[in-house]
Amino acid sequence: MVGKMPIPSYVVLRELRKLHLRRFQEPIDEELRGWNWDRPPLRPRTYLGLSVSEVASYCPTKRDTWLRRVAKVPSEGNETLKIGLLVHELIHETIKRVRKYLAVNENPLDVYRDVVEEVVGATEIPECIKDWAIRLVKHIAIQLIAEASWSSVGDGVNPWLSWISEVRVDGSLLGLSKNLRVDALTGSNIVVDFKLSKPYENHKLMITAYAMALEANLEVPVDYGLIIYINGVGNSLNIKAEPLYISSYLRKDFIDARDEVIDMILSEREPPKATSCNPACPFKSYCGVA
Ligand code: SF4
C-alpha cells in the first residue's frame, strides 16, 4: 500500500545526505548487485528458502537456526515477540487508514479522530502497553496527516508520497524465502525496516538482505536503507532513524552469513550454545537459558 513516512521527511533527508558522499567514495561492486543472482558469489550452493532472520540470526552461534531447521524444535512465543508483531500491525493499520481517509479528502482533524478510534478499537492491545500504543498511533497519524497537508498546499514534491509499505518480495533467487516481507520501500528506493529494540549488528545484515532481494526482483539499485527504531515500550515513546549505505562490505557479509547457514544445515553440525543470549530468543527454555 502507499502511505508516507512516520517520521518527518526533513529528518530522514538530512541523514541520507551523509550517505551520498560514502557512496561516491566507496561505489558498490557490480557483482554484488542482487540482479547478479545467477552467478557467483550471489548464486547460493543450494536453495533452502531461508528467512532473513535465519541468515541474520540474533543468536551469536546461529544455534536458533539449527534448532529450527535441523533439530525441528518448535519455537516458543514470548511477550517481546508478540509485542513486536502487534506494533508492526498498529503501524501498518495506521498508515493504511490515514491513506484511505485522506484519499476522499476528509477534514484532517476528522481523519485523525477516525483513524485513532478505528485502529485502537480494532486491535487487541494488552493493558500494560495500551497508553504507549495509543500514543504511537496518534504520533504516526499526526505525522502522516501533517506531511499530506503540506503536500496539498506547499510547493515542491513530497519525497515520501510514493512510499509503499508491506512489500512482498521473492527472495528465492538468493536462496531466501519466496515470501519475504519488507516493512516499506520509498519512491526513491530506500528500503525501510522497523525495529522494536536497541540496535543490533544483525539489523544491518537484515536490511541488506532485503535490499539485495529487491534488486534481484526489480533490477534497479537499492543503495540505502533506513532502520527505524521504536523504543520505550510501556514508558515514553522514542523513535530514531538510522540511515544505512548498503555497501559492498555489507553485501559480502550477507553472502558469507547465508553460505555459513547453508553449510551448517547441510552438514547438520550442531552449533554450541551462545555465551550471551538475546533475551527475546524463542529457544531459551530448550537451551536452558534463564
Ligand atoms: S537460547 Fe541462546 S544459544 Fe539458544 S538459540 Fe537462543 S540465543 Fe542461541
Side-chain angles (χ1 to χ4, degrees):
M1 54 140 313
V2 178
K4 289 170 215 140
M5 179 59 78
I7 51 178
S9 299
Y10 78 88
V11 172
V12 180
L13 291 173
R14 189 186 60 204
E15 293 299 317
L16 286 172
R17 281 189 63 193
K18 298 175 192 163
L19 301 181
H20 296 330
L21 179 63
R22 235 192 112 196
R23 181 171 65 171
F24 177 72
Q25 290 171 333
E26 288 171 36
I28 294 164
D29 185 343
E30 278 305 300
E31 72 170 8
L32 299 172
R33 291 289 193 185
W35 55 76
N36 286 319
W37 51 268
D38 59 341
R39 65 199 79 157
L42 264 66
R43 191 175 64 212
R45 194 170 141 206
T46 188
Y47 295 85
L48 299 176
L50 299 166
S51 70
V52 166
S53 60
E54 283 174 330
V55 173
S57 162
Y58 282 95
C59 176
T61 65
K62 295 198 172 8
R63 185 173 162 82
D64 54 350
T65 302
W66 179 86
L67 287 169
R68 192 179 295 112
R69 286 280 179 154
V70 181
K72 311 283 183 210
V73 175
S75 58
E76 292 171 353
N78 61 41
E79 270 315 294
T80 311
L81 297 176
K82 276 189 215 150
I83 289 175
L85 287 174
L86 173 74
V87 171
H88 274 80
E89 190 188 327
L90 288 172
I91 294 169
H92 293 305
E93 283 302 313
T94 306
I95 294 173
K96 191 169 81 182
R97 285 179 158 85
V98 168
R99 178 180 175 246
K100 186 177 114 189
Y101 285 119
L102 285 175
V104 291
N105 277 329
E106 285 196 29
N107 177 315
L109 293 176
D110 293 341
V111 173
Y112 171 77
R113 190 200 55 225
D114 292 349
V115 167
V116 173
E117 268 177 26
E118 272 188 27
V119 175
V120 173
T123 320
E124 227 173 278
I125 307 172
E127 238 4 88
C128 58
I129 64 156
K130 196 151 197 163
D131 289 349
W132 181 90
I134 294 172
R135 213 156 47 225
L136 175 67
V137 170
K138 286 181 173 174
H139 167 77
I140 295 172
I142 287 171
Q143 191 57 53
L144 301 181
I145 293 165
E147 295 238 350
S149 177
W150 167 249
S151 61
S152 68
V153 298
D155 279 340
V157 177
N158 182 325
W160 306 112
L161 281 176
S162 52
W163 158 293
I164 308 168
S165 79
E166 290 192 304
V167 185
R168 291 195 186 279
V169 188
D170 179 357
S172 61
L173 297 170
L174 297 173
L176 300 173
S177 160
K178 275 180 88 65
N179 298 307
L180 299 184
R181 208 171 85 168
V182 176
D183 279 337
L185 182 68
T186 73
S188 39
N189 279 357
I190 299 164
V191 59
V192 181
D193 203 10
F194 296 114
K195 293 286 176 216
L196 257 90
S197 70
K198 62 178 188 179
Y200 284 100
E201 215 33 50
N202 65 336
H203 294 165
K204 293 181 185 171
L205 275 196
M206 288 180 173
I207 207 161
T208 301
Y210 292 131
M212 291 175 74
L214 283 162
E215 285 185 346
N217 281 268
L218 304 175
E219 308 244 347
V220 293
V222 180
D223 293 348
Y224 299 141
L226 191 66
I227 309 176
I228 299 182
Y229 288 101
I230 301 172
N231 274 304
V233 178
N235 292 304
S236 56
L237 178 61
N238 185 302
I239 301 180
K240 281 199 176 75
E242 185 185 328
L244 197 72
Y245 173 44
I246 315 286
S247 65
S248 295
Y249 298 107
L250 279 176
R251 291 162 187 261
K252 280 187 200 137
D253 285 351
F254 160 70
I255 295 166
D256 289 348
R258 178 202 64 185
D259 292 348
E260 191 190 322
V261 166
I262 291 175
D263 287 348
M264 179 187 74
I265 293 172
L266 293 182
S267 70
E268 303 191 348
R269 186 186 63 241
E270 180 177 356
K273 287 182 198 170
T275 47
S276 128
C277 296
N278 185 301
C281 179
F283 294 104
K284 281 199 315 190
S285 58
Y286 188 85
C287 291
V289 173

